[in-house]
Each structure stands twice: as structure tokens, then as C-alpha cells.
Amino acid sequence: MASIRIETLTDASSGQVYAEVYVDAGSTPVLKSEAAFASHDDLLEQILQMCRAHFPDHSPFSDDPTIGV
């Protein structure tokens, strides 16, 4: 099993927010986004939307946006 940690950080020069993704307590990010978000909340919502779209709940009683129901 792997652990994934996503940190939202503020770019000192632009004041915009970016994300860094770490795997298994590593100290070097495996992914880093551009500093292109107005706030940590905006970036968090983008990350959650991506996760919901690509990792939907496949419970038979849940809505699945990937198939339109």
C-alpha cells in the first residue's frame, strides 16, 4: 500500500497557489503543479473534482458521474 500526500503551497513571488504531491513519506515531490490558483480552497476543489471524476464510488447505490447516472 502507498501513501499519497498533497500539499497546497503559496508561491512567494506571484502569491498564487500550487500543489506538490508526495509518495510514501518522501521528501521530494513526484508531481508539482503550476502556481495558477487564487486560493488554497480553489486548488482543493480542483483536486477533489479530479479525484471524484477518476475514482468514482462504484457502490451500486451511488451516483456515478462517469456513466451519467
Side-chain angles (χ1 to χ4, degrees):
M1 181 171 90
S3 295
I4 298 172
R5 185 178 83 245
I6 301 171
E7 294 185 7
T8 62
L9 306 160
T10 303
D11 181 57
S13 61
S14 70
Q16 294 192 314
V17 177
Y18 64 97
E20 291 183 346
V21 179
Y22 299 86
V23 176
D24 289 335
S27 60
T28 304
V30 295
L31 292 171
K32 182 177 177 181
S33 75
E34 294 293 325
F37 298 88
S39 70
H40 294 275
D41 290 337
D42 289 343
L43 177 52
L44 175 61
E45 186 56 36
Q46 289 292 320
I47 292 168
L48 292 175
Q49 284 179 4
M50 178 189 65
C51 290
R52 288 181 192 116
H54 294 284
F55 303 102
D57 179 1
H58 287 290
S59 164
F61 303 109
S62 68
D63 292 338
D64 187 346
T66 63
I67 62 172
V69 293

